[in-house]
Amino acid sequence: MFNLTHPKLVTLAEAEGFGGTTDFLEAYALDGIVPAICMAPDCDHTADLEPDQRAGFCEACGRPSMKSGLVIAGVI
Ligand SMILES: [Zn+2]
C-alpha cells in the first residue's frame, strides 16, 4: 500500500521543488538515484541516495536515519 501522505515524504517533495508527492514519485520511480530525507523528528536533511536506502547516514545529525522517498512511499 502506497503512503503518499507521510509528512517526511511531503517535506521531501517540497524540498525538491515538486507540488505534490505524486509528481515526486513519477519523476523518480525509475531512477537509479533518488532524493532521500532524514527520518529523525528534529532533522529534515535531504540527499540523493539509492532508491532502496532505508538506513543511510545523515550528514546533518549523524544518525543512520536517511530513507529514500520511494521507501517512505512504500513503492519499494
Ligand atoms: Zn538527520
Side-chain angles (χ1 to χ4, degrees):
M1 191 68 185
F2 292 172
N3 179 6
L4 302 181
T5 57
H6 192 294
K8 286 288 186 180
L9 187 62
V10 173
T11 300
L12 183 58
E14 287 176 354
E16 295 293 324
F18 290 95
T21 54
T22 305
D23 292 344
F24 172 85
L25 290 178
E26 284 178 354
Y28 290 107
L30 301 176
D31 271 15
I33 294 290
V34 305
I37 188 168
C38 180
M39 299 302 287
D42 57 344
C43 181
D44 282 331
H45 180 68
T46 62
D48 291 336
L49 297 173
E50 311 82 62
D52 61 347
Q53 183 59 257
R54 294 161 195 275
F57 178 76
C58 175
E59 294 178 355
C61 70
R63 283 173 282 201
S65 47
M66 296 295 295
K67 209 177 254 194
S68 102
L70 301 188
V71 172
I72 299 172
V75 175
I76 289 181

